[in-house]
Amino acid sequence: MHILYTDCAHEIRRSTLLPIQETNLATIYDIAKAAGVTAATVSYVLSGKGSISQATREKVMRYASELGYRPNLIARSLIKQETHTIGLVIPHIINPFYAGIAETVERSAYARGFRTMITNTYEDERLGAELLEDLAARRVDGIIALPGGLSFSAIQSMIASGLPVICCLWEEEEGQEVSLAVGLDFKRGGQLVAEHLLGLGHRRISVIVDVKANGRIDHHLRFTGCQEALANAACPLDAALVSNGDSSLESGEAAAHQLLHLPNPPTAIFATNDLMAIGAMVAAWKLGMRVPADLSIIGFDNIALAPFTSPPLTTINVDRDRLVKLALDLLLSIIEGKQLEPPPLLAPELIARASTAICPASR
């Protein structure tokens, strides 16, 4: 059976007795009338189906172009039960890291015939759960979800409903591992930070870590990796040198200001994301300290701004292009009914720039 694609707006206007000429939306009936063929013929031509002569196809397409016809994608998606749209849930698009992820997902999805609906949770788990339901109600074909404002239970509930959800870059708490995920070896990233700073002779190393209002460490794997590497090098992390932030520039500045006013301040600061690291640079500058001559600073994420700070920021690189490709491959394979194993964790890479140097005491 062949179903004709009709224009919903046109049908609504006809049903309310509004004159057809009040709308500029051409329908397949308008094309059929202009081309002197049936609406079924137009439908076959536009859908690429049926045994229609080349001359008729060309004539229909010519009139469709002249009349400015646009297919009703909403009606088509209702018929086919697919929208060729994916949802992307992120915490804050104002954060350059997530803005970069969003841009890469949108560009990559578009190249593969999909549109992207991007939404922000603003670190609010109640809102995050509502946004997942909203995307499902809008009939997206699948969702890529990043941490921050999404609870484990909300994700599990959405997966149980049958909608494909790929968790990306989650640092799960123990017992909350998601089955479909694409991630980074965050713990190894934290180890690389410690090894880099120890190799430069630093022993008074501070950590500014993202901690939520409920006391949960959001970046716990990168923090744990750094902490364990320091302990293994007989240089355990001093609890007094750990300060809390919230992944923002302001929190990084405030935390660094506190750390640098200690009686025995650190010679190096590891901020668990780049924005907090840049905030720490600002705090050092306001205190008249030179980076890296007086203080080394290292971040995590390698956001687009990192090479352009003064001095350029040493950081842990997250390969966004590779990450997004893996996430899309996994999501689209599930949408198409295929079964793929989640890929192994991506390996982090330390990008050494000018914000870290040999510890002053080691010179």
Side-chain angles (χ1 to χ4, degrees), residues 31 45 55 57 68 92 95 102 140 158 177 186 193 198 200 211-212 230 243 280 283 312 317 327 345:
I31 299 170
V45 171
R57 286 185 183 277
H92 293 282
N95 184 324
V140 297
M158 192 56 53
E177 294 80 8
F186 286 105
V193 168
L198 289 169
L200 293 173
V211 176
K212 298 307 177 192
L230 291 175
S243 189
N317 182 54
L345 295 175

PDB file of all heavy atoms in Angstrom, residues 31 45 55 57 68 92 95 102 140 158 177 186 193 198 200 211-212 230 243 280 283 312 317 327 345:
ATOM      1  N   ILE A  31       1.085  20.592  -7.179  1.00  0.00           N
ATOM      2  CA  ILE A  31       2.047  20.119  -8.190  1.00  0.00           C
ATOM      3  C   ILE A  31       1.331  19.256  -9.222  1.00  0.00           C
ATOM      4  O   ILE A  31       1.566  19.385 -10.433  1.00  0.00           O
ATOM      5  CB  ILE A  31       3.181  19.335  -7.520  1.00  0.00           C
ATOM      6  CG1 ILE A  31       3.945  20.224  -6.528  1.00  0.00           C
ATOM      7  CG2 ILE A  31       4.144  18.774  -8.557  1.00  0.00           C
ATOM      8  CD1 ILE A  31       4.936  19.470  -5.654  1.00  0.00           C
ATOM      9  N   VAL A  45       6.955  10.166  -7.440  1.00  0.00           N
ATOM     10  CA  VAL A  45       8.150  10.872  -7.911  1.00  0.00           C
ATOM     11  C   VAL A  45       8.950  11.430  -6.734  1.00  0.00           C
ATOM     12  O   VAL A  45      10.171  11.273  -6.650  1.00  0.00           O
ATOM     13  CB  VAL A  45       7.767  12.011  -8.892  1.00  0.00           C
ATOM     14  CG1 VAL A  45       8.985  12.881  -9.196  1.00  0.00           C
ATOM     15  CG2 VAL A  45       7.189  11.439 -10.172  1.00  0.00           C
ATOM     16  N   ALA A  55      10.506  11.458 -18.316  1.00  0.00           N
ATOM     17  CA  ALA A  55       9.927  12.746 -18.713  1.00  0.00           C
ATOM     18  C   ALA A  55       8.938  13.243 -17.655  1.00  0.00           C
ATOM     19  O   ALA A  55       8.922  14.431 -17.315  1.00  0.00           O
ATOM     20  CB  ALA A  55       9.228  12.608 -20.062  1.00  0.00           C
ATOM     21  N   ARG A  57       8.907  12.383 -14.474  1.00  0.00           N
ATOM     22  CA  ARG A  57       9.668  12.724 -13.272  1.00  0.00           C
ATOM     23  C   ARG A  57      10.259  14.129 -13.388  1.00  0.00           C
ATOM     24  O   ARG A  57      10.178  14.933 -12.455  1.00  0.00           O
ATOM     25  CB  ARG A  57      10.801  11.717 -13.050  1.00  0.00           C
ATOM     26  CG  ARG A  57      10.348  10.364 -12.550  1.00  0.00           C
ATOM     27  CD  ARG A  57      11.522   9.463 -12.228  1.00  0.00           C
ATOM     28  NE  ARG A  57      11.062   8.146 -11.817  1.00  0.00           N
ATOM     29  CZ  ARG A  57      10.675   7.828 -10.589  1.00  0.00           C
ATOM     30  NH1 ARG A  57      10.707   8.760  -9.651  1.00  0.00           N
ATOM     31  NH2 ARG A  57      10.263   6.618 -10.303  1.00  0.00           N
ATOM     32  N   GLY A  68       7.896  26.023  -5.203  1.00  0.00           N
ATOM     33  CA  GLY A  68       8.528  26.124  -3.883  1.00  0.00           C
ATOM     34  C   GLY A  68       8.086  25.046  -2.929  1.00  0.00           C
ATOM     35  O   GLY A  68       7.966  25.284  -1.717  1.00  0.00           O
ATOM     36  N   HIS A  92      26.168  22.618  30.176  1.00  0.00           N
ATOM     37  CA  HIS A  92      26.212  24.065  29.913  1.00  0.00           C
ATOM     38  C   HIS A  92      26.893  24.312  28.581  1.00  0.00           C
ATOM     39  O   HIS A  92      28.093  24.053  28.452  1.00  0.00           O
ATOM     40  CB  HIS A  92      27.025  24.810  30.989  1.00  0.00           C
ATOM     41  CG  HIS A  92      26.422  24.804  32.346  1.00  0.00           C
ATOM     42  ND1 HIS A  92      25.369  25.625  32.699  1.00  0.00           N
ATOM     43  CD2 HIS A  92      26.724  24.086  33.456  1.00  0.00           C
ATOM     44  CE1 HIS A  92      25.052  25.405  33.972  1.00  0.00           C
ATOM     45  NE2 HIS A  92      25.864  24.476  34.442  1.00  0.00           N
ATOM     46  N   ASN A  95      30.135  26.520  28.543  1.00  0.00           N
ATOM     47  CA  ASN A  95      31.444  25.929  28.758  1.00  0.00           C
ATOM     48  C   ASN A  95      32.041  25.568  27.399  1.00  0.00           C
ATOM     49  O   ASN A  95      31.443  24.794  26.646  1.00  0.00           O
ATOM     50  CB  ASN A  95      31.319  24.679  29.630  1.00  0.00           C
ATOM     51  CG  ASN A  95      32.663  24.065  29.973  1.00  0.00           C
ATOM     52  OD1 ASN A  95      33.594  24.061  29.180  1.00  0.00           O
ATOM     53  ND2 ASN A  95      32.753  23.500  31.169  1.00  0.00           N
ATOM     54  N   ALA A 102      29.172  19.949  21.190  1.00  0.00           N
ATOM     55  CA  ALA A 102      27.913  20.194  20.482  1.00  0.00           C
ATOM     56  C   ALA A 102      28.167  20.487  19.006  1.00  0.00           C
ATOM     57  O   ALA A 102      27.474  19.969  18.120  1.00  0.00           O
ATOM     58  CB  ALA A 102      27.154  21.351  21.127  1.00  0.00           C
ATOM     59  N   VAL A 140      12.758  11.828  18.926  1.00  0.00           N
ATOM     60  CA  VAL A 140      14.124  11.700  18.435  1.00  0.00           C
ATOM     61  C   VAL A 140      14.428  10.215  18.289  1.00  0.00           C
ATOM     62  O   VAL A 140      13.847   9.370  18.970  1.00  0.00           O
ATOM     63  CB  VAL A 140      15.142  12.371  19.385  1.00  0.00           C
ATOM     64  CG1 VAL A 140      14.900  13.869  19.468  1.00  0.00           C
ATOM     65  CG2 VAL A 140      15.122  11.737  20.773  1.00  0.00           C
ATOM     66  N   MET A 158      15.142   5.799  30.732  1.00  0.00           N
ATOM     67  CA  MET A 158      15.005   6.093  29.314  1.00  0.00           C
ATOM     68  C   MET A 158      15.452   4.907  28.466  1.00  0.00           C
ATOM     69  O   MET A 158      14.814   4.558  27.468  1.00  0.00           O
ATOM     70  CB  MET A 158      15.821   7.347  28.971  1.00  0.00           C
ATOM     71  CG  MET A 158      15.547   7.941  27.600  1.00  0.00           C
ATOM     72  SD  MET A 158      13.813   8.347  27.298  1.00  0.00           S
ATOM     73  CE  MET A 158      13.416   9.372  28.722  1.00  0.00           C
ATOM     74  N   GLU A 177      27.659   1.717  36.413  1.00  0.00           N
ATOM     75  CA  GLU A 177      28.188   1.660  35.060  1.00  0.00           C
ATOM     76  C   GLU A 177      27.039   1.491  34.069  1.00  0.00           C
ATOM     77  O   GLU A 177      26.156   0.660  34.251  1.00  0.00           O
ATOM     78  CB  GLU A 177      29.178   0.495  34.910  1.00  0.00           C
ATOM     79  CG  GLU A 177      30.448   0.634  35.728  1.00  0.00           C
ATOM     80  CD  GLU A 177      30.267   0.247  37.183  1.00  0.00           C
ATOM     81  OE1 GLU A 177      29.190  -0.278  37.517  1.00  0.00           O
ATOM     82  OE2 GLU A 177      31.194   0.481  37.977  1.00  0.00           O
ATOM     83  N   PHE A 186      39.732   8.473  32.313  1.00  0.00           N
ATOM     84  CA  PHE A 186      39.956   9.649  33.156  1.00  0.00           C
ATOM     85  C   PHE A 186      41.015   9.387  34.227  1.00  0.00           C
ATOM     86  O   PHE A 186      41.800  10.276  34.563  1.00  0.00           O
ATOM     87  CB  PHE A 186      38.650  10.079  33.822  1.00  0.00           C
ATOM     88  CG  PHE A 186      37.685  10.749  32.886  1.00  0.00           C
ATOM     89  CD1 PHE A 186      36.564  10.088  32.422  1.00  0.00           C
ATOM     90  CD2 PHE A 186      37.889  12.057  32.477  1.00  0.00           C
ATOM     91  CE1 PHE A 186      35.671  10.700  31.569  1.00  0.00           C
ATOM     92  CE2 PHE A 186      37.006  12.690  31.625  1.00  0.00           C
ATOM     93  CZ  PHE A 186      35.892  12.013  31.170  1.00  0.00           C
ATOM     94  N   VAL A 193      48.890  13.684  34.828  1.00  0.00           N
ATOM     95  CA  VAL A 193      49.094  14.987  35.467  1.00  0.00           C
ATOM     96  C   VAL A 193      50.128  14.866  36.590  1.00  0.00           C
ATOM     97  O   VAL A 193      51.092  15.648  36.666  1.00  0.00           O
ATOM     98  CB  VAL A 193      47.770  15.550  36.021  1.00  0.00           C
ATOM     99  CG1 VAL A 193      48.035  16.747  36.930  1.00  0.00           C
ATOM    100  CG2 VAL A 193      46.851  15.944  34.872  1.00  0.00           C
ATOM    101  N   LEU A 198      55.446  15.713  38.983  1.00  0.00           N
ATOM    102  CA  LEU A 198      56.529  15.095  39.745  1.00  0.00           C
ATOM    103  C   LEU A 198      57.834  15.134  38.958  1.00  0.00           C
ATOM    104  O   LEU A 198      58.915  15.376  39.520  1.00  0.00           O
ATOM    105  CB  LEU A 198      56.170  13.656  40.098  1.00  0.00           C
ATOM    106  CG  LEU A 198      55.063  13.457  41.149  1.00  0.00           C
ATOM    107  CD1 LEU A 198      54.628  12.003  41.201  1.00  0.00           C
ATOM    108  CD2 LEU A 198      55.545  13.921  42.529  1.00  0.00           C
ATOM    109  N   LEU A 200      58.777  17.349  37.016  1.00  0.00           N
ATOM    110  CA  LEU A 200      59.310  18.710  37.042  1.00  0.00           C
ATOM    111  C   LEU A 200      59.811  19.100  38.430  1.00  0.00           C
ATOM    112  O   LEU A 200      60.218  20.245  38.645  1.00  0.00           O
ATOM    113  CB  LEU A 200      58.225  19.701  36.592  1.00  0.00           C
ATOM    114  CG  LEU A 200      57.799  19.592  35.116  1.00  0.00           C
ATOM    115  CD1 LEU A 200      56.602  20.493  34.847  1.00  0.00           C
ATOM    116  CD2 LEU A 200      58.957  19.968  34.187  1.00  0.00           C
ATOM    117  N   VAL A 211      33.268  19.685  42.923  1.00  0.00           N
ATOM    118  CA  VAL A 211      32.488  19.012  43.961  1.00  0.00           C
ATOM    119  C   VAL A 211      31.084  19.601  43.973  1.00  0.00           C
ATOM    120  O   VAL A 211      30.907  20.822  43.987  1.00  0.00           O
ATOM    121  CB  VAL A 211      33.137  19.179  45.348  1.00  0.00           C
ATOM    122  CG1 VAL A 211      32.260  18.543  46.430  1.00  0.00           C
ATOM    123  CG2 VAL A 211      34.528  18.567  45.369  1.00  0.00           C
ATOM    124  N   LYS A 212      30.085  18.740  43.945  1.00  0.00           N
ATOM    125  CA  LYS A 212      28.700  19.188  43.916  1.00  0.00           C
ATOM    126  C   LYS A 212      28.223  19.600  45.306  1.00  0.00           C
ATOM    127  O   LYS A 212      28.872  19.348  46.314  1.00  0.00           O
ATOM    128  CB  LYS A 212      27.794  18.076  43.363  1.00  0.00           C
ATOM    129  CG  LYS A 212      28.141  17.689  41.928  1.00  0.00           C
ATOM    130  CD  LYS A 212      28.180  18.904  41.026  1.00  0.00           C
ATOM    131  CE  LYS A 212      28.589  18.562  39.617  1.00  0.00           C
ATOM    132  NZ  LYS A 212      28.893  19.752  38.805  1.00  0.00           N
ATOM    133  N   LEU A 230      50.455  10.128  43.035  1.00  0.00           N
ATOM    134  CA  LEU A 230      51.272  10.853  44.007  1.00  0.00           C
ATOM    135  C   LEU A 230      51.635   9.938  45.183  1.00  0.00           C
ATOM    136  O   LEU A 230      52.785   9.941  45.654  1.00  0.00           O
ATOM    137  CB  LEU A 230      50.528  12.091  44.510  1.00  0.00           C
ATOM    138  CG  LEU A 230      50.318  13.223  43.499  1.00  0.00           C
ATOM    139  CD1 LEU A 230      49.463  14.330  44.106  1.00  0.00           C
ATOM    140  CD2 LEU A 230      51.661  13.785  43.027  1.00  0.00           C
ATOM    141  N   SER A 243      41.131  21.793  47.133  1.00  0.00           N
ATOM    142  CA  SER A 243      40.099  22.822  47.228  1.00  0.00           C
ATOM    143  C   SER A 243      38.986  22.504  46.236  1.00  0.00           C
ATOM    144  O   SER A 243      39.213  21.873  45.199  1.00  0.00           O
ATOM    145  CB  SER A 243      40.695  24.201  46.928  1.00  0.00           C
ATOM    146  OG  SER A 243      39.766  25.224  47.221  1.00  0.00           O
ATOM    147  N   ALA A 280      42.531  29.839  37.956  1.00  0.00           N
ATOM    148  CA  ALA A 280      43.700  29.813  38.842  1.00  0.00           C
ATOM    149  C   ALA A 280      44.796  30.725  38.311  1.00  0.00           C
ATOM    150  O   ALA A 280      45.514  31.379  39.090  1.00  0.00           O
ATOM    151  CB  ALA A 280      44.214  28.382  38.986  1.00  0.00           C
ATOM    152  N   ALA A 283      43.986  34.196  39.396  1.00  0.00           N
ATOM    153  CA  ALA A 283      44.299  34.411  40.814  1.00  0.00           C
ATOM    154  C   ALA A 283      45.786  34.662  40.995  1.00  0.00           C
ATOM    155  O   ALA A 283      46.200  35.566  41.749  1.00  0.00           O
ATOM    156  CB  ALA A 283      43.852  33.202  41.636  1.00  0.00           C
ATOM    157  N   PRO A 312      50.300  29.742  27.437  1.00  0.00           N
ATOM    158  CA  PRO A 312      49.444  28.640  26.976  1.00  0.00           C
ATOM    159  C   PRO A 312      49.350  27.534  28.025  1.00  0.00           C
ATOM    160  O   PRO A 312      50.339  27.207  28.689  1.00  0.00           O
ATOM    161  CB  PRO A 312      50.150  28.161  25.701  1.00  0.00           C
ATOM    162  CG  PRO A 312      50.885  29.375  25.213  1.00  0.00           C
ATOM    163  CD  PRO A 312      51.347  30.080  26.461  1.00  0.00           C
ATOM    164  N   ASN A 317      44.417  16.260  26.901  1.00  0.00           N
ATOM    165  CA  ASN A 317      43.600  16.368  25.693  1.00  0.00           C
ATOM    166  C   ASN A 317      42.517  15.295  25.651  1.00  0.00           C
ATOM    167  O   ASN A 317      42.761  14.133  25.960  1.00  0.00           O
ATOM    168  CB  ASN A 317      44.480  16.237  24.452  1.00  0.00           C
ATOM    169  CG  ASN A 317      43.690  16.387  23.165  1.00  0.00           C
ATOM    170  OD1 ASN A 317      42.984  17.377  22.978  1.00  0.00           O
ATOM    171  ND2 ASN A 317      43.783  15.414  22.285  1.00  0.00           N
ATOM    172  N   ALA A 327      30.714   7.662  19.380  1.00  0.00           N
ATOM    173  CA  ALA A 327      29.367   7.766  19.954  1.00  0.00           C
ATOM    174  C   ALA A 327      28.303   7.677  18.861  1.00  0.00           C
ATOM    175  O   ALA A 327      27.292   6.982  19.016  1.00  0.00           O
ATOM    176  CB  ALA A 327      29.229   9.068  20.731  1.00  0.00           C
ATOM    177  N   LEU A 345      37.852   2.432  26.258  1.00  0.00           N
ATOM    178  CA  LEU A 345      38.076   3.817  26.668  1.00  0.00           C
ATOM    179  C   LEU A 345      39.179   4.458  25.816  1.00  0.00           C
ATOM    180  O   LEU A 345      40.182   3.821  25.506  1.00  0.00           O
ATOM    181  CB  LEU A 345      38.481   3.886  28.137  1.00  0.00           C
ATOM    182  CG  LEU A 345      37.442   3.437  29.173  1.00  0.00           C
ATOM    183  CD1 LEU A 345      38.047   3.461  30.568  1.00  0.00           C
ATOM    184  CD2 LEU A 345      36.207   4.321  29.111  1.00  0.00           C
TER     185      LEU A 345
END
